[in-house]
Amino acid sequence: MRVLVVLAHPEPQSLNVALSKVIAEELQTGGHEVQVSDLYAMGWKSNIDRADFPTFPKDKPLAIAKASQLAYTAAHLTEDVMAEQKKLLWADTVILQFPLWWFSMPAILKGYVDRVWSCGFAYGVGEHSDKRYGDRYGEGVFAGKRAMLVVTAGGWESHYSARGINGPIDDLLWPINHGILYYPGFTVLPAFVAFRVDRYDKAAFDATADRLRERIRTLSATDPIPFRPQNMGDYEIPAMVLRDDIQSEGQEGFKLHQAPSSEKQL
Amino acid sequence: MRVLVVLAHPEPQSLNVALSKVIAEELQTGGHEVQVSDLYAMGWKSNIDRADFPTFPKDKPLAIAKASQLAYTAAHLTEDVMAEQKKLLWADTVILQFPLWWFSMPAILKGYVDRVWSCGFAYGVGEHSDKRYGDRYGEGVFAGKRAMLVVTAGGWESHYSARGINGPIDDLLWPINHGILYYPGFTVLPAFVAFRVDRYDKAAFDATADRLRERIRTLSATDPIPFRPQNMGDYEIPAMVLRDDIQSEGQEGFKLHQAPSSEKQL
């Protein structure tokens, strides 16, 4: 495997950085290649703005999608963004690793997505017709690649359980798994989550590291989240609603967009 | 009313900035006070890091919550963060306004939350006992204040409907409404969302501006989202799961944490 880890934590001695080393070591032990984009160490710029599009006319209002598409097509994006796109294309597996801050990713990682997921690259791709609505949700630049989140949370596992007050962790991560990863084509594996990490001692770290090593060893064999592909008949085009005749066995909300385990996968 | 608008868009001629002016004008016409934190215009720093805690010992690993709590308590946070906390305390109503990028807020606004929602201010507050689990979810520094999201999205409304492929918009915004706003005490109003904004002409803008003015005029009379408060008996403490005997009328996932409209509100 060729694995890219995108890491978002400011402290070199943090649990996240330690777990990142566990990932890299386990991959290298298995004979795999690994690159780590340590966003804080790289001084990653988070805020997408006019400086992202150096050749965009200075006298025109900045429409991000248009500016992004022009710059991507002409290879006029900034060097830092193009270097990350190259790493993403090199990888067959991408891991986004971060502490859960306010129920989502840290700003620096959101800024990675905002800037690197360019128009023409990760969105705004493919044919729009009565049969297709672009290459997205199961198709796209990252099709054939796997992705997985590795997340640490301060709260207890029960707080993020089916009836937990924070909301179920898989639902909180759904906008990332489905919207940021599956949308541009990744096959998405269930997230690895470590809870209650503010109280970690050595035993807790070792147990989590062991559990993480096992997930890394089984990356290529792990069943992905069975998100429904967009252009294979499940959705009405262009309304993009799940067809009425697709039964969802009591599912609602986000879970509608996931095939029940009993349903045959494409 | 005293209203703070926190705005996240890089282009002064954008729809978001135009809608922000609509909000400010409507408020001023109504005799209300308004402040706007235009994050891009302010050059807002998004990435929380060691520079956020100037008096934190340079030789100690940076534990964010601890560093944040020490700096907040001693008023040693950076000037930009303290200025925003002051504005938030001044306001009785807070509007977060942003384009939906990758199904969440832009990095610059996430970085506002990551940096301004300090420990001891917006989290890590209050007593933890067998009766209470801190001042959060219905209690906290922002208790008694109202908050509302004003969001623009490129996709169609149907794409974000109950069975739409992007996921229901209220579920996508739930981690923000419940996790970022309700958690530190805000009373949260239903979001204002404008869809398909990439194709706006004057008629579409005028219709949206009218709809937005109406929401602004009725801010103080709008029924909030009936999120369930944490410490009033609905949740088991400290597991923080919704009590088994609380019937949810077929609800699951995020909706569990919202009282059905038939249930009497506290």
Side-chain angles (χ1 to χ4, degrees):
Chain A
M1 293 190 291
R2 293 185 303 277
V3 182
L4 173 65
V5 180
V6 184
L7 168 66
H9 200 287
E11 172 51 51
Q13 295 186 57
S14 63
L15 173 63
N16 271 269
V17 172
L19 292 177
S20 193
K21 288 175 186 162
V22 167
I23 294 173
E25 284 166 12
E26 187 60 36
L27 286 168
Q28 283 154 353
T29 302
H32 305 292
E33 296 173 76
V34 57
Q35 292 193 68
V36 179
S37 289
D38 180 342
L39 298 181
Y40 271 99
M42 293 156 67
W44 184 259
K45 169 185 184 276
S46 294
N47 302 343
I48 196 168
D49 58 18
R50 199 172 275 270
D52 276 62
F53 314 109
T55 59
F56 193 78
K58 305 242 176 303
D59 56 340
K60 274 199 182 169
L62 181 68
I64 299 272
K66 185 69 186 167
S68 177
Q69 186 181 39
L70 288 170
Y72 173 74
T73 307
H76 285 169
L77 292 164
T78 55
E79 289 298 327
D80 59 347
V81 168
M82 290 195 289
E84 293 308 309
Q85 292 180 343
K86 200 173 157 190
K87 289 184 204 171
L88 288 160
L89 294 175
W90 164 85
D92 55 40
T93 307
V94 173
I95 292 172
L96 303 185
Q97 199 202 338
F98 57 95
L100 195 69
W101 286 352
W102 294 105
F103 308 100
S104 186
M105 45 174 64
I108 199 169
L109 183 54
K110 184 55 170 39
Y112 183 88
V113 174
D114 288 348
R115 295 184 61 229
V116 176
W117 265 227
S118 302
C119 185
F121 180 65
Y123 70 105
V125 185
E127 171 196 338
H128 286 67
S129 68
D130 56 351
K131 293 245 175 13
R132 304 181 48 75
Y133 197 82
D135 298 347
R136 50 176 223 174
Y137 291 127
E139 299 170 276
V141 65
F142 301 130
K145 301 176 188 290
R146 307 192 133 213
M148 182 172 87
L149 305 182
V150 173
V151 179
T152 60
W156 303 18
E157 185 161 4
S158 65
H159 302 181
Y160 294 94
S161 65
R163 291 170 70 85
I165 194 166
N166 291 346
I169 187 69
D170 287 338
D171 286 350
L172 292 169
L173 297 178
W174 196 88
I176 303 173
N177 278 329
H178 186 264
I180 289 175
L181 296 174
Y182 186 60
Y183 184 107
F186 281 112
T187 297
V188 185
L189 306 186
F192 176 92
V193 186
F195 294 99
R196 219 174 168 182
V197 295
D198 292 344
R199 309 277 170 131
Y200 261 36
D201 55 14
K202 183 166 186 315
F205 176 79
D206 289 346
T208 295
D210 282 348
R211 191 161 65 85
L212 181 55
R213 281 191 199 94
E214 178 62 19
R215 284 298 303 273
I216 296 300
R217 271 195 297 270
T218 55
L219 264 180
S220 61
T222 301
D223 283 339
I225 305 174
F227 291 134
R228 296 181 184 277
Q230 175 187 267
N231 293 322
M232 306 296 180
D234 285 359
Y235 294 90
E236 290 168 27
I237 296 173
M240 304 316 313
V241 296
L242 192 64
R243 278 183 10 229
D244 279 344
D245 58 327
I246 291 188
Q247 297 305 316
S248 50
E249 303 181 5
Q251 292 176 308
E252 62 175 32
F254 294 152
K255 290 211 176 57
L256 278 173
H257 305 287
Q258 193 168 319
S261 46
S262 59
E263 194 172 311
K264 192 168 179 297
Q265 290 308 298
L266 288 165
Chain B
M1 294 189 291
R2 293 185 304 277
V3 182
L4 173 65
V5 180
V6 184
L7 168 66
H9 200 287
E11 171 52 51
Q13 295 187 57
S14 63
L15 174 63
N16 270 270
V17 173
L19 292 177
S20 193
K21 289 175 186 161
V22 167
I23 293 172
E25 285 166 12
E26 187 62 35
L27 287 167
Q28 282 154 352
T29 302
H32 306 292
E33 295 173 76
V34 56
Q35 293 192 66
V36 180
S37 288
D38 180 341
L39 298 181
Y40 272 98
M42 293 156 69
W44 184 260
K45 169 184 184 278
S46 295
N47 302 342
I48 194 168
D49 58 17
R50 198 172 276 269
D52 276 62
F53 314 109
T55 58
F56 192 78
K58 305 242 176 306
D59 57 340
K60 274 200 183 169
L62 181 69
I64 299 273
K66 186 68 185 168
S68 176
Q69 186 181 39
L70 289 170
Y72 173 74
T73 307
H76 285 169
L77 292 163
T78 56
E79 289 298 326
D80 59 347
V81 167
M82 289 196 290
E84 294 307 310
Q85 292 180 344
K86 199 172 157 192
K87 289 184 204 171
L88 288 160
L89 293 176
W90 165 85
D92 54 39
T93 307
V94 174
I95 292 172
L96 303 185
Q97 199 202 338
F98 57 95
L100 194 70
W101 286 351
W102 295 106
F103 308 100
S104 187
M105 46 173 64
I108 199 168
L109 183 53
K110 184 57 172 37
Y112 183 89
V113 174
D114 289 348
R115 296 183 61 227
V116 176
W117 266 226
S118 303
C119 186
F121 180 64
Y123 71 106
V125 186
E127 171 196 338
H128 285 67
S129 68
D130 57 351
K131 293 245 173 18
R132 306 182 46 76
Y133 196 83
D135 298 348
R136 52 176 222 174
Y137 291 127
E139 298 170 275
V141 67
F142 301 130
K145 301 177 188 290
R146 308 194 133 211
M148 181 172 86
L149 306 182
V150 173
V151 179
T152 60
W156 303 18
E157 185 162 4
S158 65
H159 302 181
Y160 294 93
S161 65
R163 290 171 70 86
I165 195 166
N166 290 346
I169 187 69
D170 286 339
D171 286 350
L172 291 169
L173 297 178
W174 197 88
I176 303 173
N177 277 329
H178 186 263
I180 290 176
L181 296 174
Y182 187 60
Y183 183 108
F186 281 112
T187 298
V188 185
L189 306 186
F192 176 92
V193 186
F195 295 98
R196 220 175 168 181
V197 295
D198 292 344
R199 310 276 170 132
Y200 261 37
D201 55 14
K202 182 165 186 316
F205 176 79
D206 288 347
T208 296
D210 281 348
R211 192 161 64 86
L212 181 55
R213 281 191 199 93
E214 177 63 18
R215 285 297 304 273
I216 296 301
R217 270 194 298 270
T218 54
L219 265 181
S220 61
T222 301
D223 283 338
I225 304 173
F227 291 134
R228 296 181 184 276
Q230 175 187 267
N231 293 322
M232 306 295 180
D234 286 359
Y235 295 90
E236 291 169 25
I237 296 173
M240 304 316 313
V241 295
L242 192 64
R243 277 184 12 229
D244 278 344
D245 57 327
I246 291 189
Q247 297 305 317
S248 49
E249 302 181 5
Q251 291 177 309
E252 61 174 34
F254 293 153
K255 291 210 176 58
L256 278 173
H257 305 287
Q258 194 168 316
S261 46
S262 59
E263 194 171 310
K264 194 170 179 297
Q265 291 307 299
L266 290 164

